[in-house]
Amino acid sequence: MRAGFRALLDAEDGIEVVGEAADGERGLALVRAQVPDIALIDVQMPVMTGIEATRRIAADPAPAAVRVVILTNYALDEYVFEALRAGASGFLLKDTEPADLLQAIEVVARGGALLSPSVTRTLVGEFVARPPDRATAPGLETLTPREREVTALAARGLTNEEIAAHMVISPFTAKTHISHAMTKLGARDRAQLVVFAYESGLVRARTA
């Protein structure tokens, strides 16, 4: 599978594969040595899991700018939320079509989060039904009422345009509110904002 991904990516103009590893520990060492723009990491790997590798990448000042995309076998893998919480920018299914994989890499490289509204709704609906833990999500008090509202709506899977329509504001204003919220909370991207919203209790996942 790694060979297939590498062949696909190497054939694409503007993309260079700087290395590959068979386990999480080697992958982490490679990321630290090469500091790539993006790391595609399997959620389950020998020696060190993809989640732990992601957590260490996000916590290390040197490779902290590396954006992690988690690869998983199942759309509703129970580990996906933990991966996002650890610092991943999103996730892809291993059987993703080549064109979709390339587009996803472009999205993440531009600073976007690989977490579509439909994925957000499914993910939080199935795996985030847990009591809020405000100790792990400080910063709620720094948000203005408007910023709290847009954060909650983003966590429910609404796009900027849908948020704008709901709040009767322009999409640009909605985007500005989200950007301000991300800055205050230290969120790397929209995916991290979604995690914060659920961990802080700002929104609750359905339990049935």
Side-chain angles (χ1 to χ4, degrees), residues 80-164:
V80 169
F81 178 74
E82 292 302 323
L84 293 174
R85 183 178 178 182
S89 293
F91 71 96
L92 283 172
L93 296 181
K94 291 181 181 178
D95 61 357
T96 295
E97 292 294 326
D100 292 334
L101 172 63
L102 295 174
Q103 182 180 22
I105 289 176
E106 290 180 4
V107 169
V108 175
R110 291 196 303 266
L114 193 60
L115 197 62
S116 69
S118 61
V119 169
T120 301
R121 294 185 184 109
T122 303
L123 180 64
V124 301
E126 298 295 334
F127 293 113
V128 197
R130 62 187 71 182
D133 183 358
R134 297 180 187 278
T136 65
L140 184 62
E141 70 283 352
T142 69
L143 301 183
T144 67
R146 285 299 233 184
E147 289 164 355
R148 291 191 186 196
E149 187 175 0
V150 298
T151 297
L153 292 173
R156 294 188 183 282
L158 273 65
T159 64
N160 288 349
E161 289 72 20
E162 290 170 336
I163 291 173

Side-chain angles (χ1 to χ4, degrees), residues 22-24 41-52 70-74 77-79 94:
D23 63 65
I41 298 182
D42 194 336
V43 71
Q44 294 178 302
M45 293 187 293
V47 185
M48 180 187 296
T49 68
I51 294 174
E52 181 59 26
I70 293 290
L71 297 169
T72 178
N73 282 319
Y74 307 103
D77 195 307
E78 62 182 303
Y79 299 108
K94 291 181 181 178

Side-chain angles (χ1 to χ4, degrees), residues 58-59 64-65 67 84-89 136-143 147 151 177-197 199:
R67 300 179 67 80
L84 293 174
R85 183 178 178 182
S89 293
T136 65
L140 184 62
E141 70 283 352
T142 69
L143 301 183
E147 289 164 355
T151 297
H177 284 316
I178 288 176
S179 296
H180 287 168
M182 288 173 56
T183 298
K184 290 181 178 180
L185 299 173
R188 299 176 68 185
D189 50 37
R190 198 182 187 99
Q192 295 289 291
L193 198 64
V194 170
V195 171
F196 169 84
E199 289 198 326

